Amino acid sequence: MSSDTTPDPTSHAFPTKQLTILAICRFSEPIAFNSILAYTYVMVQDLHGGDDTDASFYAGLLVSAYAVAEALTAIGWGSLSDRYGRKPVVLFGLGGVAISSLIFGLANKYWVALLARFIGGALNGNVAVMQTMVAEMVKNPAHEPKAYASQPFVWTLGGIIGSGMGGFLAQPAKFYPSLFPADGLFGRYPYLLPNLVAVAVIIMAIIQGALFLEETNPRRNRATHEAVFEDDDDIIDERTPLQRPKGRRSSARSQSRTTMDRPVFIEESLPVPVEQIFDLRRSSFGTVCSIKLPPAPPRQNERFDGKAFNFTIIMVTTALVLVSYHQIAFSTLLPTHLLNKPATPPGQIDFVGGLGYTVHDVGVYLSVNGIVGLFIQGVIFPIFVDRVGVWKSFSLNIMLYPLAYVLMPFVSAMPPLLVSPAIYLSMIMQCFFGIVVIPCALILLKGATPSPSVLGKVNGLAMSACCLARTVSPPVVGIIYSAGGSAAAWFSCAGVGLIGIAQLFWVPRKHVPSIVVENGMMIGKTGPDPGDGETETSIAISD
C-alpha cells in the first residue's frame, strides 16, 4: 500500500466509549472474586459443621482452585477468541463467573464450593483476551499507556468494592436479623447474598457488553489482519493473535509498533492472585503508572542463537518468585488471622490464635487496603522511584519486606487502641513494598534479556514460576497456620522474605538511566542512581 493511502496511526482518537464498555465488563469480575476473601475462613468452618481443624488450609485451597483452573484453560480460550472472536469469549467468561458465584453461594458442602471455584476459573479466560481487545482498540501508540491502565485500574476499584461487599453482605441473618430471618433463604445459605449481588452486576455487564461492545478480532477484516503481524515471528505483542494460524508466517509490521520510540512499562500490584500478571513482550503492563526506558537500538534481522536464560535472568526471576509467594500468602493469611478466635485473653501475646474480628471488620480492612494500594500506585510510587532510582528501590524494599510480617504476631499484645493502627501499618508496608519491588524487578528482568527474540521465553519462565508460587502459597501457608498457629504462619512469610534478602546478594546489579515515570497526575524523570558507577545496559525491544 502506498504511503499516501496508509492511515496515520496518530490520527486516531482515543477509544473512550469502547474502553469504557470493556471496563464495565472487567469491573464486574473482581466484585465476585474479592468478595470471598472476607468470609472464606468462616465459610469453611460452617461447611465443616463449626470445626476449624485445618480451616486455614481449606480456605487457601479455595483461593488457589480458581487460579489452577484458569491456568489450565487460558490457552484454549485464547485460541477460541482468535477463531470465533473476542466478544463472545469475553461474554461467555462473564457468564462462567456468574455461574460459579451462584454455585458458590448455594454450596452446603465444601467440595461443592471448591468445584464452583474451579468451574469459575475454567470458564473464564478474560484476563488475556480483554488485554488483547485493548491492544486492538488502540490505534495511536501514544494512547497505549492510558488505555492499558484502564483495565487493571477498574479491577482494583472493583476489588475494593467487592472486598467491602463480601464483608458486609455475608451472614446477613446474623448481622441483620430484622431483614433476614434465620429460617429464611439467606439464613440457610449465609453466603448467598454477596454472590447474588455479584451475579446481578455481572448480568448487567453482560447485557451492556452484548449491546454495545464491538468485536476487535482483526481476522474479521483481512486487510487489518495482515497489518497486525510483526516482521519477525519471534517478536510478539498483544496485537499478535493469541494463537497464530498454522503454516502462516508474519508478513507485515503493525503501524502502531513502528511509531513506538521507546518501550513502556506499567506496573501492577493487586491484592488477589489471579490479577498478578505481566508480559515482557507487551509495550505496557500494570496499573496507573508507566515507566519508559530510553529508545532501544535498531532491531537486527538475525535470529539470536545465544543463551536465553543468563545468570541475571535466573536471579531476578528467583527474586520475583519469592516476592510472589509471600505477597499472596499475606493476602490470604490476613483475613484468616483477623477472623480466627483468640487463644489467649486480650492484651497477651497470642502465637496460636487470631484476633477474633467479624467479617464486617475484615471487609473494611481489605477495602482500605485496596484504597491505600491505589494511592501508593498513583502518587507515592512515581515520587519514590524518581528520587531513589530503580535498583535501590528494588533492593531496599526487598530488605525491608519481612518487617510487614514480623509485626503481626505481636499485635494481640498491644493495647486495644493500637491494635487497629498496627494492622494498618502492616498492610501499608506490605502493599508499598510489593508495589515498588515488582515493577522494578520487571525492568531489571527485561534489561537482562539478551535479545528481543527471546522475550517470549524469558516471560514464559518468569510468569510460570510466579504463577506456581502464587498457586501453592495460600494452601501452604494455611497448612502452616493449622499446624503451628498464627505466629508460625507469619514467621514463615518473614522467613521467605529473609531468603529473598540473602538471595539479593546474587542478583547482578543493573543500572537503568533516565527512567521516565508517569501517570495521569505527574511525570518524573530519574537520572542515574546516585553513587552508581556501572555502565549502561542496553535493552533491545522491537519497535
Side-chain angles (χ1 to χ4, degrees):
M1 184 178 293
S2 62
S3 59
D4 58 337
T5 59
T6 301
D8 181 7
T10 62
S11 65
H12 293 281
F14 188 79
T16 303
K17 179 181 177 181
Q18 285 301 301
L19 283 175
T20 301
I21 296 169
L22 189 64
I24 294 173
C25 294
R26 191 63 171 151
F27 173 80
S28 65
E29 292 183 317
I31 290 181
F33 297 149
N34 282 42
S35 66
I36 76 166
L37 293 177
Y39 60 79
T40 302
Y41 180 76
V42 292
M43 180 181 183
V44 169
Q45 289 180 315
D46 289 345
L47 294 177
H48 288 164
D51 184 9
D52 62 354
T53 304
D54 296 330
S56 55
F57 163 71
Y58 291 115
L61 205 59
L62 285 178
V63 175
S64 294
Y66 184 95
V68 171
E70 187 178 41
L72 292 175
T73 60
I75 295 178
W77 286 118
S79 178
L80 287 174
S81 75
D82 286 339
R83 180 177 295 274
Y84 300 107
R86 317 292 187 212
K87 179 176 177 178
V89 170
V90 166
L91 298 182
F92 188 86
L94 291 176
V97 176
I99 294 172
S100 169
S101 299
L102 186 60
I103 298 175
F104 191 81
L106 292 171
N108 53 12
K109 295 185 181 298
Y110 177 80
W111 71 266
V112 176
L114 185 64
L115 179 63
R117 290 286 293 166
F118 193 86
I119 290 175
L123 295 181
N124 182 29
N126 284 351
V127 172
V129 176
M130 285 187 176
Q131 289 290 346
T132 302
M133 292 188 73
V134 172
E136 292 167 345
M137 289 175 182
V138 177
K139 309 301 181 183
N140 186 345
H143 296 155
E144 286 186 350
K146 182 179 178 181
Y148 282 127
S150 64
Q151 297 302 303
F153 175 80
V154 297
W155 177 278
T156 306
L157 191 62
I160 294 171
I161 297 174
S163 298
M165 184 187 75
F168 281 92
L169 297 184
Q171 300 177 326
K174 175 181 178 180
F175 294 102
Y176 315 109
S178 60
L179 297 175
F180 304 98
D183 58 350
L185 176 64
F186 297 107
R188 297 193 302 271
Y189 301 101
Y191 308 101
L192 176 60
L193 184 57
N195 286 281
L196 276 182
V197 174
V199 168
V201 174
I202 293 171
I203 290 176
M204 288 188 290
I206 292 175
I207 293 174
Q208 66 91 34
L211 294 176
F212 306 114
L213 185 63
E214 298 176 0
E215 178 58 61
T216 64
N217 190 340
R219 295 192 179 195
R220 297 302 178 92
N221 184 306
R222 180 174 178 83
T224 306
H225 175 59
E226 292 290 318
V228 299
F229 291 102
E230 294 286 354
D231 288 335
D232 190 340
D233 284 341
D234 293 323
I235 305 302
I236 305 171
D237 65 15
E238 286 196 322
R239 289 177 177 78
T240 307
L242 297 179
Q243 180 170 314
R244 286 188 175 182
K246 293 182 179 179
R248 179 180 180 86
R249 293 188 62 82
S250 305
S251 59
R253 181 186 299 266
S254 171
Q255 296 170 359
S256 61
R257 307 308 301 160
T258 61
T259 57
M260 287 294 292
D261 61 346
R262 56 172 61 194
V264 182
F265 295 82
I266 299 184
E267 62 88 17
E268 175 179 12
S269 182
L270 300 170
V272 290
V274 296
E275 189 63 5
Q276 297 285 331
I277 60 171
F278 57 84
D279 189 342
L280 298 177
R281 299 164 300 181
R282 282 172 43 185
S283 62
S284 305
F285 46 86
T287 56
V288 298
C289 293
S290 63
I291 306 173
K292 295 185 178 181
L293 296 179
R299 187 174 46 140
Q300 302 298 322
N301 293 328
E302 308 86 43
R303 290 182 178 275
F304 178 77
D305 296 324
K307 186 178 180 181
F309 305 123
N310 55 45
F311 184 74
T312 302
I313 288 176
I314 294 175
M315 288 296 101
V316 175
T317 299
T318 302
L320 270 172
V321 168
L322 293 173
V323 170
S324 297
Y325 173 89
H326 59 71
Q327 184 184 52
I328 301 306
F330 179 92
S331 298
T332 55
L333 181 57
L334 178 65
T336 299
H337 189 205
L338 294 177
L339 291 168
N340 193 20
K341 296 179 181 179
T344 62
Q348 298 183 14
I349 294 180
D350 188 354
F351 282 171
V352 177
L355 298 176
Y357 282 106
T358 67
V359 291
H360 283 190
D361 300 320
V362 175
V364 171
Y365 279 116
L366 295 181
S367 294
V368 171
N369 190 40
I371 295 172
V372 170
L374 204 58
F375 176 78
I376 293 174
Q377 292 173 35
V379 179
I380 305 299
F381 173 78
I383 297 174
F384 186 87
V385 177
D386 177 53
R387 301 289 177 85
V388 179
V390 173
W391 170 258
K392 288 184 173 62
S393 297
F394 170 75
S395 57
L396 178 63
N397 285 281
I398 282 184
M399 289 187 287
L400 295 176
Y401 226 136
L403 295 177
Y405 308 126
V406 297
L407 173 64
M408 288 302 296
F410 303 97
V411 169
S412 59
M414 296 180 180
L417 291 177
L418 296 181
V419 171
S420 186
I423 295 172
Y424 281 120
L425 176 61
S426 176
M427 291 167 51
I428 292 172
M429 286 193 296
Q430 198 275 343
C431 194
F432 176 80
F433 297 151
I435 287 174
V436 174
V437 165
I438 290 179
C440 291
L442 295 177
I443 294 172
L444 298 177
L445 187 64
K446 196 161 188 175
T449 303
S451 169
S453 62
V454 297
L455 276 175
K457 294 180 180 179
V458 173
N459 185 81
L461 171 69
M463 190 66 203
S464 298
C466 291
C467 284
L468 179 61
R470 291 192 294 265
T471 301
V472 303
S473 175
V476 168
V477 76
I479 291 175
I480 297 174
Y481 193 107
S482 298
S486 56
W490 286 116
F491 288 143
S492 72
C493 293
V496 176
L498 291 175
I499 294 175
I501 295 176
Q503 188 264 344
L504 188 63
F505 291 98
W506 280 272
V507 179
R509 186 168 182 169
K510 295 293 179 182
H511 171 51
V512 184
S514 301
I515 297 299
V516 178
V517 182
E518 63 180 34
N519 59 16
M521 292 169 283
M522 63 188 68
I523 296 179
K525 184 173 182 179
T526 72
D529 292 347
D532 287 346
E534 294 81 353
T535 60
E536 176 178 341
T537 300
S538 63
I539 303 176
I541 308 294
S542 63
D543 57 2

